[in-house]
Each structure stands twice: as C-alpha cells, then as structure tokens.
Amino acid sequence: MSVSKRINSFRRNLMRGLTRGIGQSNHLPAGTPGQSIVIQRVLICRPNHRLGNLLLITPLIQEVTATFPGCRIDLLVKGGVAPTIFQGYENIERIISLPKKPFKELLRYLRVWISLKRTRYDLVINVVKGSSSGRLATKFSNAAYKIFGDETTIDPALTGHQHIARYPVYQLRNHLSAWGIPTRPGDAPSLDLRLSAAEQADGETQLHQLTGNDRKTISLYTYATGDKCYSSDWWTTFYDRLKTEFPHYNIIEVLPIENISMLSFRAPTFYSKDIRAIAAFIAATSIFVGADSGIMHLATASHAPTVGLFSITDPEAYQPYGHNSLGIDTRHADLGECMRIIRGILEQA
C-alpha cells in the first residue's frame, strides 16, 4: 500500500472512531398519542463521489418518494457527477456537494454546513453508518426526525437484507413503523437511472450503428479498480468461450473512461464519457457482463439484465438485482457455470 493510501486509510479510521458515537436515531413508540408526523422535506446524506455508491442510493430515493408522495428531497454528496445521475428524479430539489478535499476548499466546505443548519427538514437519513461526514451532517442538520444509520435488526427473511442498497430501505421501514407511519411491503426497489425514452432510443441507434445488424448483443465491461479487476488472460479465455457458446450474438466491449481494454481491443468497442449515454447503450443490449464496478451498477440502473463477476467483494452486499440480474462468485463458479447462467438469462429475454 502506498504512503498516500495508508494516510487516507488512517484518516478514515480515525474519523470513524471519533464520530461513531455521534447522534442517535429517534425512537418513538408506535402510534404515540397525539403524535402527528408529516414528512414533506427530506435530506439524504451520502457524501461520496463514486458512481456506484451514488447509484446505490436510488432505491432509497424511490422508497422515500413512494412513502411520502409530493415530498422534496435534498442530497448531500461529493463530487460533480450527482446532477447527471439524478436528473430523472423530479422531486430532488437540491444537490449539495461537499468538496473532495475540504481543507483545500475550506470556505466552500463551511458554506455547506451553514446551509444544512439554515434549512429546515422533516427527516434526515444518513445512508451508511460508517460515514463520518454523513453522521456529522445528520447531527448538524435542522430536523425533527433523524436516522443516523445505526444498526437495526432486519428480518433475515427479507430479500437481500444484507445488500448495501436494500438495507437502507429496510432500515427506513423499521424506523417509520416505530414512529407509527405505514410502510410499503415487499422487496426494496431496484437501482434506477430513469433513462428517458429519447435516451433509450439514442442508445438503440448507437448500438445498431456499431453492429450494423439486428442480432442480439452481449455487452462486456472488462475493467475494474484494484484487485477487483480480472487479468487479461482471464478475460481472453472468457471472451473466446463466449464466442464459441453464443456464435449468433454480437459481443461488444464497453470501455472505461481510461480507454483500457483487458481484451487488448479484440472485440468491437463502445466508448463515451457521458454516463447516461453509456447506460442507454447498455440498456439496448440483451445482457451486460462485468466485474464489480460503478459501470456494473450503471448497467443495473439502466434495467439491462446484468451479471456481476465477484472475486474480492461480497456478492451478498453488492451484487446486481432486479431485471433478471445476479452476481457470480467466480471463486466458486467455473467458466462453464458462468456460461450456463448467461444462457439462462438470455433464454428468458
């Protein structure tokens, strides 16, 4: 591990330790006499800049919106990608972005905290309990009801209760029930980028222009960060097997912003710096296959059937779900099993 990574790891662990005991979610007996709870303005705290982590809060946004029709939602995030991700959510009123490096932009950083104090919210939700900035923002915010992300007992019978996108939804339902507010049953919503009809049509056009035919298409994403990235040899073997198993399908590689191909550009490629254009292109394909990454979550949010490949991270926490999607732990599944799963999904399309 590099010196900078060790410093960042130490800083994160220190801040988590200092903020672990900050704040406690409201706990009210169900149906408290005389207690009338009206939720019209909500703040959701996920101070993170990564594509995947921001997409993973779309189920919670949908849940809040469905539970409190007409409510307005503010988001506390980091970085500049959030407006692009959430542009399809009409009830998101304000996106508040913390600077990635607060000590280099101290005035902007302080203005965010002042803004949180001046705005009156009915409900504030910190999505990830281990987020020191999220816990501080929840504590500092001006709201009657706060969920700090404390660990709550989630019914293990609930579908995917360990999943990082589903857990906040189930946790919200637990708190609302304790406050005497009716909750929605069933599974948590799936990730959703809310592509427009025009965006989807553009994606289909891009796909047809690239393939030049009307055959169904398998889209691959061979890149991932750190240890999550499979080797070039692994992907070459996977790609060759795909071509053998599915000779009547187009196979297209979606490239990362770094323009890196673990297949050495052997397959036709699609490249764009526009997140929503990438999602629309993937949505036009029959299936997406890629390692655990932000683009994997983007594929899920585009509603494409998605197969996530996991070798390091926990599939139970991060695997794609909804729209006939799933995760494969390649530490326990061989290439033949991967092909059987992909075939099963394609046959249902």
Side-chain angles (χ1 to χ4, degrees):
M1 183 184 293
S2 67
V3 174
S4 62
K5 287 185 177 180
R6 284 199 297 269
I7 292 173
N8 286 333
S9 178
F10 173 79
R11 177 185 57 79
R12 285 194 296 269
N13 291 334
L14 177 63
M15 287 303 296
R16 287 170 182 169
L18 292 174
T19 59
R20 187 177 293 118
I22 288 180
Q24 185 177 18
S25 304
N26 303 69
H27 293 285
L28 296 175
T32 302
Q35 183 69 44
S36 177
I37 301 175
V38 177
I39 305 295
Q40 296 178 327
R41 190 156 194 186
V42 180
L43 173 66
I44 295 177
C45 301
R46 186 61 172 108
N48 191 281
H49 67 281
R50 293 186 180 279
L51 172 64
N53 287 333
L54 293 177
L55 287 166
L56 286 163
I57 67 172
T58 57
L60 178 61
I61 294 170
Q62 294 171 70
E63 183 75 13
V64 169
T65 302
T67 305
F68 306 110
C71 73
R72 296 172 295 161
I73 298 174
D74 289 355
L75 301 178
L76 177 68
V77 298
K78 281 186 180 179
V81 73
T84 301
I85 292 174
F86 300 111
Q87 71 179 48
Y89 288 83
E90 296 180 356
N91 64 321
I92 292 181
E93 186 165 279
R94 197 163 58 123
I95 294 177
I96 308 162
S97 182
L98 283 168
K100 292 182 184 179
K101 298 181 179 180
F103 293 109
K104 290 187 176 181
E105 299 180 73
L106 190 56
L107 288 178
R108 180 184 162 198
Y109 185 75
L110 292 174
R111 281 198 294 268
V112 169
W113 294 100
I114 292 170
S115 171
L116 290 180
K117 198 65 176 177
R118 286 179 175 173
T119 306
R120 175 69 182 177
Y121 294 103
D122 300 305
L123 173 63
V124 176
I125 304 170
N126 175 43
V127 178
V128 176
K129 65 185 177 92
S131 169
S132 54
S133 296
R135 293 188 72 87
L136 285 170
T138 305
K139 178 68 175 178
F140 196 72
S141 63
N142 185 6
Y145 297 95
K146 300 181 180 183
I147 298 175
F148 281 87
D150 326 82
E151 285 194 16
T152 55
T153 301
I154 304 297
D155 183 354
L158 288 170
T159 304
H161 66 282
Q162 297 173 321
H163 198 280
I164 195 170
R166 284 164 156 151
Y167 181 87
V169 172
Y170 297 147
Q171 180 177 240
L172 172 66
R173 291 176 183 175
N174 275 4
H175 283 283
L176 296 181
S177 293
W179 298 340
I181 299 176
T183 60
R184 291 164 15 110
D187 193 3
S190 57
L191 277 64
D192 195 352
L193 191 65
R194 293 196 172 177
L195 290 169
S196 68
E199 288 173 323
Q200 294 178 57
D202 286 344
E204 291 171 0
T205 299
Q206 289 280 344
L207 177 61
H208 190 268
Q209 289 176 347
L210 182 57
T211 62
N213 60 57
D214 293 322
R215 291 186 295 173
K216 292 182 178 180
T217 299
I218 298 170
S219 55
L220 300 178
Y221 186 76
T222 65
Y223 187 67
T225 56
D227 293 338
K228 295 187 293 185
C229 191
Y230 292 81
S231 69
S232 293
D233 288 343
W234 191 95
W235 274 112
T236 298
T237 302
F238 190 92
Y239 175 63
D240 288 341
R241 183 68 175 270
L242 270 181
K243 289 195 299 179
T244 300
E245 295 276 349
F246 305 101
H248 302 299
Y249 283 78
N250 303 308
I251 302 176
I252 304 293
E253 182 181 5
V254 178
L255 297 174
I257 193 170
E258 295 87 352
N259 199 29
I260 294 172
S261 168
M262 302 306 290
L263 289 172
S264 300
F265 300 95
R266 288 181 58 195
T269 60
F270 174 81
Y271 180 81
S272 175
K273 293 182 179 180
D274 185 328
I275 289 170
R276 299 187 72 87
I278 296 170
F281 179 86
I282 293 171
T285 66
S286 297
I287 192 170
F288 170 93
V289 183
D292 177 22
S293 66
I295 298 296
M296 179 198 75
H297 295 305
L298 185 69
T300 309
S302 79
H303 295 186
T306 300
V307 174
L309 304 174
F310 291 80
S311 61
I312 298 295
T313 44
D314 180 9
E316 294 297 320
Y318 293 99
Q319 69 180 327
Y321 69 93
H323 312 293
N324 210 15
S325 301
L326 50 75
I328 300 176
D329 189 335
T330 57
R331 292 167 294 189
H332 306 295
D334 61 17
L335 200 56
E337 179 65 14
C338 292
M339 296 299 137
R340 285 191 290 274
I341 290 171
I342 291 170
R343 185 178 300 280
I345 294 173
L346 288 172
E347 288 175 350
Q348 295 180 50

